[in-house]
Amino acid sequence: MKPAHYGVHVEARRGDGTGHTLLRLGPYTQTWLADRDADRLNTELEGRAATVIPGFTVTAHGAPCDFNDHERYVDPYETDVVALLAAAVEDGERGTRTG
């Protein structure tokens, strides 16, 4: 059996459900590792998820890792996922101002 691979997606969504993915982390070989990082990111966002990017709610959740889109994933190992989140939010904020 092939090993399962999981990811974490950080998404910015408007109230009408439209939005975009700010950050994709993965692959993780076990769901508990992906869930741990998603929880860590959501803890970092807690209380300010709706104000990180004005007009958007930003949340992290576990998701299957899509290997067809592997170049969009950031390797989460030996990386500070909170620092990755800060950089992704900054990029996302710039994108909402220009686009």
Side-chain angles (χ1 to χ4, degrees), residues 22-23 53 80-94:
L22 294 172
L23 177 64
I53 300 175
D80 182 354
V81 295
V82 174
L84 289 173
L85 173 64
V89 165
E90 185 176 310
D91 289 345
E93 213 172 24
R94 254 194 312 271

Side-chain angles (χ1 to χ4, degrees), residues 11-79:
E11 297 182 340
R13 297 273 171 225
R14 291 184 185 95
D16 65 3
T18 61
H20 57 281
T21 303
L22 294 172
L23 177 64
R24 290 176 178 91
L25 299 169
Y28 293 88
T29 57
Q30 296 183 22
T31 57
W32 74 269
L33 294 170
D35 290 343
R36 178 199 62 193
D37 279 354
D39 288 345
R40 187 169 169 215
L41 294 171
N42 282 322
T43 298
E44 182 68 23
L45 291 164
E46 192 173 322
R48 58 188 191 108
T51 61
V52 171
I53 300 175
F56 291 82
T57 300
V58 178
T59 57
H61 63 89
C65 188
D66 180 3
F67 282 102
N68 293 326
D69 202 16
H70 67 87
E71 65 278 348
R72 291 189 173 193
Y73 282 83
V74 176
D75 185 351
Y77 295 100
E78 301 199 22
T79 302

